[in-house]
Amino acid sequence: MKQSQGHNRPKKYGMVIDLDKCTGCGSCMVACMAENNVPFKKDETNKRDSITWMKVYKLTNGKPFPENDVCYLPRPCMHCEGHHGHSPCVSVCPATATDYSTDTGIVSQIYTRCFGCRYCMAACPYHARYFNWWDPVWPAGMEQMLSPDVSVRMRGIVEKCSFCFHRYQRAMDKAHLEGRHELAEDEYQTSCTQACPSGAITFGDLNNPEHKVHQMVKPDNAHGGRPQAPNAFRLLERLGTNPKVYYLSTREWVRKAGDNSIKGEGKAHAKH
Amino acid sequence: MWPWTPVPKNGEANVVNSVSTLCGGCCGISVRKIDNRAVKIEGMPGYPGSDGKACPLCLSGLQKLYGPTAVSSPLKRVGERGQGKWKKISWDAAIAEIAEKLGRMREDGRPQGLACIMDRECGTVPALFQRFLQVYGSPNFMKTASVDDAYELTLKLMHGVAARPGFDLESADYVLSLGSGILDGWGSTVRMFRARARWQENNAKVVQVEPRLSNSAAKADQWIPIEAGTEGVLALGIAHVIIKEGLYNKAFVDEFGVGFEDWVGKDGKKHDGFKTIVLKHYSPSTVAGITRVDPDIITETAKAFAAASYPLALCGRGEGRTPGALHDFMAVHALNALVGNVNEKGGVWAVPLPDYVQWPEAKLDMAAERGLATDRVDGAGTERYPLAKSLLTRLPEIINAAEESPVEALFVSGANPCYTLPDTAVAKAAFSKIPFIVSFASHMDETAMMADLVLPDHGHLERYEDIPAPSGMNTPVIGLCRPVVAPQRNTRHVGDAVLMIAKAMGGLVAEAFSWESYQDCLEKTLGDNWEPLLDAGFIHNPKFTPDAWAKAFQTPSGKFAFMSDACSYEAEGAPIAEIEGKADAYPLTLIPYDSLRLAGGPVTTTPFVIKTVEDNVLKGKDIFVEVNRKTGGKCGLAEGVYAHLSTPKGTVKVRVHMSDGIVPGVVAMPRGLGHAEIESYVGGKGINVNELIGPVEDPVSGMDAAWGIRANLTIA
């Protein structure tokens, strides 16, 4: 784990996604692919090998017509902190290709270090990590749209959402040039946050009480960042991964779906 | 880093603002560039409606700019139609060939044999085509119709004005959507999303009426599942309750309405007014029988609608690509009028059509005047269809029925009728009968494949163009599409191509086009507005207010017409538009559905956007249709199985997705798949739903009123 190096107050960048607002339009997914040079293949319908750093899931309450209801759930990397930065993926990486930054709270992915063992993919309970089974191929001419801010990946390595870390670097560079050490809330926003036409995604420093994300979920840092705001929840809270992506929903069935159990799970556990 | 993966070159970052014309809503965009490369599209802050956001299709626009389907030079067909065999030719040779062909047609006295199909009719580019046709001598300018056209006609009949519909969405506090995909691409896509955010903040209530649990329905406060095609009947059922309970706005109806009460016509006969018809035929129990909506829900909805401060009812199914039945629109608009919310805060406004394209009258010669005096080939404006401006959906059958195609030469720009027209096979057969087709497509598409010549336009990020009147905007806006990068290929602006053809024709045709270039035309047309448009990227009048009731209506009586003479032969009340097929052979109903994750219009979806499509919509090359679990079970189907979907138009193989979010008896198929395999990222996947649904003519307007077709689904 990377220890804080700066003399700045450590940040904990995180995201709050209001599922009542999300309409499942897919703008966040497309904005993410365009921002991060995410490759695409001729057939992307095998969702197991379709690289989507941001993926919108469709949840249903499972009730028959006409009581059926659906809810969309965008899933970036959760940037888990675990206990003191021991996020599930960071703990298992033998190459230190993925690391937890105590400066920003961001889980990095260093492509040149990754040798593709995919332990991190097995460890990630959110399916947020993707393996490059092939070298990316752009149709002739389309390499022109690649952004120089994000490295292009190759066959044999794992990639995932970086909370658009290059945008943080760009914002910090600008701040340093202007003699500042701190960023304003709107100076660093992820591509998906910026793109969401419904305003469902909010991004900022969970440690900063002035930031909207903090106010929206009131994270309890004494208890692994657990949300204290009503209607706020995290995915698979019980695993103790301490993720930095929070969700809001007024619908109880949606909040329950966020911590789904296999039928009977937990009951057996209680016997021990 | 690795020699076999590209290393994007770094350089100086800069940003260009423009308007993206990929989606129907025309999103304002901000494009980030590194030196001369465009690397990312974002929303343009401050742009009216979309304000800093953009729809998924527009966000992925760079895949069009740098994509493999962009046409790189003028092409001349060498193989069979649709075979895709081309030879590159020079611009001069292509223009000369067109001028020669058109010149001969005109000399032979058949200028009316030229037709033009576009996707828009406002702005300088459509105006150039319209002017060309006029001086050449053809009345046959056609536009692919949408809900906007049905709404325009509604305003024409009920307000007596030539105007487009504007919706003061943000101020509404009760939104009743009768099938409109308010979050699925209807209107100006991104503005709808922003309006919804406002409704949430203001605790406005949103009620979505439609047969399928679409995204619009899922995000509404209430979803009212309804028998497919009967939304207009429900509107009249709601009107029934409002009238019966005396909940309507009497100040408006009594003073500014006409045709509400019974009246005696000039012929001395007594006519039933709107009130009588609605009270007689549309009681909640009758309506419940037709729509399968519970009578109590009808009553509750009516009361809530009437009690709201700013209720707003919307019409036009899905994304709004098909105009629909005129009486549905009139029924829904009458509902708005009952609560007095026309030209009022939170209501439907009649917004004047853009009128900034003011060019000196063109001089016409005898040949042009004779050609213009002929009836339009599609029948629009004739005695039978006096109201319609154009009726493109009628064209294929007319061509196919004739021995020789009445359209001898066709220009197509911005439209893709060989994909978007209903009953695609019939449309393609008609196109193959047209002797000479010129496509101005920037990207190869189904229609360009049928062309004899392709004169590629600059791509949407390579050209200037004025973009007026976004769909549904209640305030006048002109946006500026401007080049983000220099043209990448041997293309010419379509406006310049028209000027070149005109100049090559010579005579009065050439004289009508005095501009040096399209750019010159655009700047002179906008006049004093050009500089502000260039500076801000748009011109907007946010303070626009519609005419007050006292002077808003220019019908013969000067009042809002609840009933129109144009529809008088339907006095028994508005029936439901019949769809094709007999119920015994086809026990189910197929309806198309729209989604922002698939582009259903003339523009093909991009690789990024199709990547977001779920695997129970498209898997490999297989398309899934959605069917209610119970219906599917009765047909012996199960999740994911292959089935034959047949309609009177043909049979296709599909896979089945069992859903709990759709009314029984309905089969829903996504619009936007089944493109020709011009490339393999999007093309060649799934089925084009337009192949399975034929047009149904609206008896009054002549526009396409089809909302589905009878169908059957059997295990394969």
Side-chain angles (χ1 to χ4, degrees):
Chain A
M1 186 186 28
K2 201 169 158 190
Q3 294 301 322
S4 177
Q5 296 162 340
H7 19 255
N8 301 335
R9 205 157 35 87
K11 311 287 188 298
K12 212 154 100 172
Y13 283 106
M15 197 174 268
V16 181
I17 305 178
D18 187 336
L19 301 182
D20 292 342
K21 289 185 177 170
C22 173
T23 63
C25 73
S27 284
C28 55
M29 297 172 76
V30 171
C32 170
M33 294 184 226
E35 177 81 15
N36 292 297
N37 296 338
V38 174
F40 52 92
K41 308 187 297 294
K42 287 184 175 167
D43 183 359
E44 291 283 2
T45 61
N46 180 356
K47 298 303 176 189
R48 288 182 178 175
D49 66 27
S50 178
I51 300 178
T52 41
W53 292 11
M54 172 59 113
K55 181 175 166 69
V56 178
Y57 286 91
K58 188 177 183 177
L59 314 180
T60 151
N61 65 353
K63 289 195 180 167
F65 174 86
E67 271 88 45
N68 191 250
D69 194 8
V70 299
C71 177
Y72 288 95
L73 184 138
R75 189 252 37 220
C77 169
M78 300 286 133
H79 293 271
C80 307
E81 188 182 357
H83 297 291
H84 311 292
H86 291 286
S87 43
C89 55
V90 170
S91 315
V92 298
C93 180
T96 328
T98 188
D99 203 357
Y100 187 86
S101 161
T102 50
D103 274 344
T104 59
I106 291 175
V107 175
S108 62
Q109 182 72 19
I110 303 158
Y111 311 125
T112 40
R113 286 188 191 164
C114 174
F115 52 72
C117 70
R118 290 173 278 146
Y119 283 6
C120 59
M121 288 175 71
C124 174
Y126 303 106
H127 295 257
R129 295 179 155 272
Y130 293 90
F131 186 62
N132 282 272
W133 289 96
W134 302 275
D135 272 321
V137 178
W138 281 270
M142 239 198 251
E143 304 93 345
Q144 287 196 76
M145 65 180 280
L146 295 175
S147 161
D149 295 335
V150 181
S151 305
V152 174
R153 283 77 66 187
M154 61 175 288
R155 166 175 45 91
I157 63 157
V158 171
E159 62 181 79
K160 66 157 193 81
C161 155
S162 68
F163 269 173
C164 289
F165 185 68
H166 58 284
R167 286 187 170 215
Y168 173 75
Q169 291 174 308
R170 207 193 289 155
M172 283 304 278
D173 284 352
K174 186 169 174 280
H176 284 311
L177 278 173
E178 291 166 3
R180 291 181 288 129
H181 296 289
E182 297 289 335
L183 295 178
E185 188 175 3
D186 61 356
E187 271 188 292
Y188 168 38
Q189 292 290 316
T190 64
S191 179
C192 54
T193 309
Q194 183 190 25
C196 176
S198 308
I201 310 179
T202 311
F203 184 78
D205 178 9
L206 290 162
N207 279 347
N208 189 335
E210 310 265 295
H211 280 202
K212 287 193 281 288
V213 285
H214 178 97
Q215 294 159 2
M216 287 166 93
V217 296
K218 300 184 181 66
D220 180 359
N221 281 341
H223 295 92
R226 197 164 282 206
Q228 296 177 93
N231 299 335
F233 68 100
R234 297 187 289 186
L235 296 184
L236 304 175
E237 177 72 62
R238 70 208 150 94
L239 295 185
T241 51
N242 191 0
K244 281 198 288 300
V245 176
Y246 294 77
Y247 294 91
L248 299 175
S249 176
T250 51
R251 285 177 280 186
E252 199 194 354
W253 72 265
V254 174
R255 296 197 300 272
K256 276 193 172 160
D259 211 352
N260 231 344
S261 314
I262 304 167
K263 231 178 186 174
E265 189 190 1
K267 280 180 195 156
H269 186 73
K271 282 182 192 163
H272 290 287
Chain B
M1 208 160 20
W2 300 287
W4 59 92
T5 56
V7 179
K9 220 175 141 215
N10 213 340
E12 200 175 330
N14 55 95
V15 168
V16 181
N17 288 336
S18 184
V19 175
S20 171
T21 52
L22 296 182
C23 75
C26 295
C27 302
I29 55 168
S30 248
V31 186
R32 182 176 158 85
K33 288 174 65 185
I34 298 295
D35 290 339
N36 288 320
R37 294 193 297 121
V39 298
K40 174 83 191 292
I41 295 179
E42 280 153 14
M44 170 182 171
Y47 192 79
S50 61
D51 190 12
K53 308 288 177 180
C55 73
L57 185 64
C58 290
L59 286 175
S60 66
L62 296 180
Q63 295 195 312
K64 289 274 170 210
L65 172 64
Y66 297 123
T69 58
V71 183
S72 60
S73 112
L75 300 174
K76 185 177 163 68
R77 176 169 67 88
V78 288
E80 290 294 307
R81 279 247 160 103
Q83 209 183 356
K85 284 197 178 156
W86 307 97
K87 96 174 172 204
K88 290 189 176 180
I89 57 167
S90 71
W91 273 94
D92 288 343
I95 298 289
E97 187 175 335
I98 296 168
E100 199 263 327
K101 280 247 163 65
L102 295 187
R104 208 169 338 122
M105 269 169 65
R106 207 162 185 272
E107 273 165 27
D108 293 349
R110 294 190 316 276
Q112 68 274 19
L114 173 66
C116 175
I117 300 175
M118 292 195 76
D119 204 34
R120 290 182 295 125
E121 59 183 347
C122 292
T124 53
V125 171
L128 281 173
F129 275 106
Q130 284 158 348
R131 190 175 179 87
F132 184 90
L133 260 63
Q134 190 199 10
V135 292
Y136 179 80
S138 168
N140 293 313
F141 178 90
M142 282 170 256
K143 188 189 88 120
T144 40
S146 70
V147 291
D148 289 350
D149 298 274
Y151 256 121
E152 262 187 56
L153 211 48
T154 306
L155 293 175
K156 182 91 201 149
L157 295 177
M158 299 177 99
H159 291 216
V161 295
R164 52 181 197 83
F167 304 94
D168 187 15
L169 298 158
E170 292 79 0
S171 309
D173 69 352
Y174 188 101
V175 180
L176 177 65
S177 160
L178 290 138
S180 304
I182 50 179
L183 298 176
D184 296 285
W186 187 92
S188 290
T189 316
V190 177
R191 179 193 178 211
M192 297 307 297
F193 279 77
R194 301 188 71 86
R196 178 181 175 268
R198 185 77 74 87
W199 297 332
Q200 271 183 320
E201 281 163 29
N202 299 345
N203 292 319
K205 183 160 183 187
V206 182
V207 177
Q208 179 75 17
V209 179
E210 65 175 311
R212 182 177 164 269
L213 185 64
S214 65
N215 287 7
S216 308
K219 302 315 286 189
D221 297 287
Q222 187 187 358
W223 171 40
I224 302 181
I226 188 168
E227 184 74 16
T230 65
E231 290 90 342
V233 175
L234 181 69
L236 293 172
I238 291 170
H240 176 105
V241 177
I242 290 175
I243 294 171
K244 197 168 182 194
E245 308 250 333
L247 302 173
Y248 59 95
N249 184 326
K250 291 178 188 68
F252 177 80
V253 172
D254 293 349
E255 202 174 330
F256 300 98
V258 68
F260 184 74
E261 302 287 348
D262 301 346
W263 78 94
V264 178
K266 281 186 197 136
D267 50 4
K269 279 189 201 156
K270 190 174 160 284
H271 292 266
D272 282 348
F274 181 77
K275 183 173 148 186
T276 304
I277 289 173
V278 167
L279 290 180
K280 212 194 270 179
H281 300 288
Y282 295 96
S283 70
S285 58
T286 310
V287 169
I290 300 168
T291 61
R292 284 203 272 173
V293 177
D294 189 284
D296 290 344
I297 291 182
I298 299 172
T299 307
E300 275 165 35
T301 309
K303 286 182 178 168
F305 186 77
S309 306
Y310 305 105
L312 174 62
L314 303 173
C315 191
R317 291 185 184 87
E319 196 183 352
R321 293 270 170 205
T322 308
L326 184 63
H327 40 234
D328 282 356
F329 284 81
M330 292 181 68
V332 174
H333 199 51
L335 191 56
N336 283 316
L338 275 185
V339 290
N341 77 344
V342 292
N343 284 16
E344 282 288 304
K345 183 180 172 189
V348 185
W349 298 4
V351 184
L353 298 167
D355 61 352
Y356 62 93
V357 181
Q358 298 287 353
W359 296 335
E361 195 96 357
K363 274 191 218 137
L364 306 179
D365 59 14
M366 279 302 288
E369 280 182 12
R370 269 203 297 265
L372 289 171
T374 57
D375 275 347
R376 285 177 58 101
V377 61
D378 60 4
T382 59
E383 210 175 312
R384 175 62 190 91
Y385 306 103
L387 300 168
K389 284 199 263 182
S390 81
L391 293 170
L392 179 59
T393 39
R394 296 190 74 241
L395 186 65
E397 296 240 8
I398 290 168
I399 292 178
N400 288 336
E403 204 164 304
E404 277 185 24
S405 168
V407 175
E408 292 175 57
L410 175 69
F411 288 166
V412 184
S413 170
N416 186 5
C418 289
Y419 179 81
T420 58
L421 275 176
D423 202 348
T424 326
V426 166
K428 277 192 183 153
F431 271 68
S432 59
K433 276 182 79 176
I434 299 173
F436 186 57
I437 301 176
V438 181
S439 164
F440 297 88
S442 58
H443 290 73
M444 190 51 76
D445 60 28
E446 287 81 356
T447 311
M449 291 285 280
M450 298 295 282
D452 299 273
L453 284 173
V454 183
L455 266 59
D457 189 7
H458 296 326
H460 76 297
L461 299 172
E462 302 169 321
R463 67 166 183 254
Y464 275 109
E465 194 177 338
D466 49 319
I467 309 294
S471 177
M473 276 297 276
N474 54 327
T475 48
V477 178
I478 306 171
L480 181 66
C481 171
R482 76 173 108 204
V484 171
V485 295
Q488 308 281 302
R489 300 167 182 86
N490 182 15
T491 55
R492 298 265 169 103
H493 195 291
V494 59
D496 283 320
V498 174
L499 295 184
M500 285 163 75
I501 297 169
K503 285 188 180 148
M505 302 271 315
L508 286 181
V509 176
E511 263 179 49
F513 297 87
S514 57
W515 307 281
E516 281 166 25
S517 63
Y518 172 71
Q519 188 67 24
D520 182 39
C521 165
L522 180 63
E523 288 180 24
K524 284 188 179 141
T525 304
L526 281 148
D528 292 343
N529 279 330
W530 172 249
E531 287 298 327
L533 181 61
L534 199 61
D535 284 348
F538 60 87
I539 302 171
H540 183 205
N541 174 14
K543 293 204 179 102
F544 170 84
T545 48
D547 286 331
W549 292 343
K551 52 178 197 164
F553 309 114
Q554 285 160 33
T555 52
S557 58
K559 292 181 173 180
F560 179 93
F562 278 93
M563 303 289 288
S564 171
D565 291 339
C567 324
S568 52
Y569 63 90
E570 290 183 338
E572 276 306 295
I576 308 156
E578 282 291 333
I579 51 168
E580 273 183 274
K582 295 260 184 308
D584 46 357
Y586 299 104
L588 308 174
T589 305
L590 170 69
I591 57 167
Y593 73 87
D594 293 312
S595 148
L596 285 185
R597 300 196 192 177
L598 281 170
V603 173
T604 310
T605 308
T606 58
F608 276 161
V609 174
I610 203 161
K611 204 174 162 177
T612 69
V613 173
E614 284 159 351
D615 60 358
N616 54 19
V617 175
L618 176 73
K619 180 83 183 171
K621 295 194 169 190
D622 296 326
I623 191 173
F624 284 73
V625 294
E626 216 173 292
V627 63
N628 184 290
R629 197 176 295 280
K630 280 191 186 145
T631 312
K634 271 187 214 153
C635 300
L637 304 169
E639 178 68 28
V641 300
Y642 285 92
H644 291 301
L645 172 66
S646 41
T647 76
K649 296 295 164 196
T651 299
V652 293
K653 200 172 173 187
V654 296
R655 290 181 72 180
V656 174
H657 172 52
M658 304 282 237
S659 165
D660 290 306
I662 189 164
V663 299
V666 170
V667 183
M669 184 186 256
R671 210 195 297 267
L673 286 167
H675 275 283
E677 195 163 357
I678 296 162
E679 42 73 60
S680 326
Y681 291 88
V682 177
K685 295 174 196 280
I687 311 278
N688 177 4
V689 68
N690 299 323
E691 285 171 19
L692 296 169
I693 302 179
V696 172
E697 206 169 287
D698 182 82
V700 180
S701 69
M703 291 194 278
D704 184 15
W707 46 265
I709 193 163
R710 306 290 310 178
N712 198 7
L713 198 59
T714 50
I715 193 152

